[in-house]
Amino acid sequence: MHYLYALCDCITSRNGQIYTHTTATDVRKYSDGYLTETTGGRISSSYVIVASHYPFLNVPGFYFAKMYQSTSYLLAVDPKKTLFKGMFITATTPTYSFRTAQYRGKKILLVGGSDHKTGIPTCEQDSYGALAKLVSRYYPDAEILARWNTRDCIPLDKIPYIGPYSSTLPHVYVGTGFKKWGMTSSQVACEIIVDSICGKENPISSVFSSTRLQPLKNHTEMKNMMVQSVHSLFLDKLKRPQMQFDEIAPDSGSIIEVNGEKVGIYKDPTSRVYAVKPYCTHLGCLLSWNDVDKTWDCPCHGSRFDAKGKNLYDPAFRDLMTYSID
Ligand code: FES
């Protein structure tokens, strides 16, 4: 937060303006520059930098075909015991990381890991449960103070995309695919993009070239992504859901079939029912129920929606269609 506050100060002290809760939805050519559509109005400019985590323009650029999102989990723990010094990451798969932080005058432990592709169904045991088990092995009396999870954009060749958005959109730039190294990579993106706008040569820009074709040469990752997309876009939509309405437990969700149509059902803890059309508003993939967070997640590019269909996470920016329950 110190870092972000300082960044905000840099912008506002130079007469820059920051608009929060304003989602950019489109960029179009306009006169000599561009018109950016947002949920709060239109902005015209000569240059546009798309730094929206997952790029929201599908075409051109096609970043959705070169990148996926990964979810990872974190526990903040009071170990009730003296902690190690340093920061560590395991060399095994799945990967776990260990670091310390100061919290209310105390040194606490942060344990992260249990990563998986966003939208692939998981459970408490495989996510936070795996981290808690690991902690208890070394710190049996530990107390869990907080837990959270986050998503990161992972390019197929594991190198961020920084530079021109596409060769057909001059003066539009992108910085994405930071692969969990956002604080560091965003600085690299700043330098490369600022140099490019100012017409300065940058010695490392070619490494991060956003229009490179290398990601598509990673055949294993490419195949995995295509198989997943074909399933979520076509095959899974043809399968009949196995779950019946009565089988859905309170505070849980699933896709069922109603009059030949797929419907996403969530029953809250009091068994009140919420129903959504379970197709992602990004490119239409079939969503899956995330029982850890109680959300609808997209296995294609990682968009997420709450149990009532409200969009939570990009690249989708529209809510799901809902059904009223009589
Ligand atoms: Fe792209 Fe859902 S995030 S189809």
Side-chain angles (χ1 to χ4, degrees), residues 11-315:
I11 294 169
T12 50
S13 66
R14 288 164 174 80
N15 296 327
Q17 294 175 12
I18 299 171
Y19 292 87
T20 55
H21 303 291
T22 306
T23 308
T25 56
D26 199 7
V27 176
R28 288 187 281 117
K29 284 193 174 141
Y30 170 71
S31 182
D32 284 347
Y34 291 95
L35 205 55
T36 301
E37 301 278 353
T38 80
T39 48
R42 288 178 176 155
I43 303 162
S44 65
S45 62
S46 304
Y47 294 88
V48 178
I49 300 172
V50 179
S52 55
H53 187 249
Y54 205 106
F56 60 91
L57 299 174
N58 295 323
V59 182
F62 301 96
Y63 290 92
F64 63 86
K66 310 188 278 191
M67 201 166 70
Y68 61 91
Q69 296 205 59
S70 165
T71 301
S72 46
Y73 300 80
L74 234 119
L75 293 184
V77 172
D78 178 353
K80 309 277 186 199
K81 189 167 147 180
T82 311
L83 272 174
F84 53 83
K85 281 197 182 123
M87 231 198 294
F88 300 90
I89 190 161
T90 59
T92 52
T93 306
T95 306
Y96 295 102
S97 67
F98 307 84
R99 70 183 74 178
T100 60
Q102 284 297 326
Y103 177 70
R104 296 188 172 158
K106 241 185 183 177
K107 195 172 175 185
I108 61 161
L109 172 66
L110 301 181
V111 183
S114 301
D115 305 28
H116 62 83
K117 189 167 180 273
T118 305
I120 301 300
T122 187
C123 60
E124 181 73 25
Q125 196 187 349
D126 292 345
S127 52
Y128 294 115
L131 296 180
K133 199 168 158 196
L134 193 64
V135 168
S136 66
R137 196 189 307 165
Y138 301 104
Y139 301 98
D141 301 323
E143 179 196 351
I144 294 174
L145 304 170
R147 63 183 218 173
W148 65 94
N149 61 61
T150 187
R151 269 137 296 280
D152 291 277
C153 298
I154 316 284
L156 294 186
D157 64 355
K158 317 290 187 240
I159 299 173
Y161 299 111
I162 301 170
Y165 198 91
S166 147
S167 52
T168 60
L169 281 181
H171 298 169
V172 178
Y173 294 89
V174 68
T176 188
F178 294 159
K179 206 182 144 272
K180 307 184 188 199
W181 290 90
M183 301 275 278
T184 313
S185 308
S186 57
Q187 283 306 305
V188 178
C190 288
E191 290 185 14
I192 291 176
I193 293 171
V194 168
D195 280 354
S196 177
I197 291 173
C198 296
K200 264 171 65 183
E201 187 98 347
N202 186 300
I204 55 166
S205 60
S206 60
V207 175
F208 298 96
S209 165
S210 39
T211 49
R212 66 186 185 273
L213 289 174
Q214 271 82 346
L216 307 179
K217 294 183 192 159
N218 183 342
H219 292 153
T220 315
E221 289 271 28
M222 189 72 198
K223 193 171 141 212
N224 288 344
M225 230 175 91
M226 280 177 69
V227 168
Q228 182 67 62
S229 297
V230 168
H231 270 271
S232 303
L233 268 172
F234 308 110
L235 303 181
D236 291 350
K237 288 183 183 173
L238 301 174
K239 280 191 203 151
R240 282 193 82 163
Q242 298 301 308
M243 190 67 102
Q244 302 294 322
F245 181 83
D246 292 341
E247 293 169 343
I248 302 173
D251 202 21
S252 190
S254 185
I255 293 175
I256 62 167
E257 197 168 87
V258 179
N259 299 332
E261 294 282 333
K262 288 190 172 54
V263 178
I265 296 288
Y266 166 64
K267 289 185 189 170
D268 78 6
T270 63
S271 286
R272 186 168 173 188
V273 176
Y274 297 89
V276 298
K277 190 169 180 178
Y279 300 114
C280 184
T281 55
H282 178 225
L283 292 176
C285 286
L286 185 67
L287 300 170
S288 61
W289 175 249
N290 175 340
D291 208 38
V292 177
D293 283 340
K294 315 296 175 193
T295 54
W296 293 105
D297 295 356
C298 181
C300 284
H301 317 109
S303 294
R304 302 179 71 214
F305 306 84
D306 76 10
K308 299 175 191 171
K310 187 174 167 14
N311 176 237
L312 298 174
Y313 220 83
D314 56 350

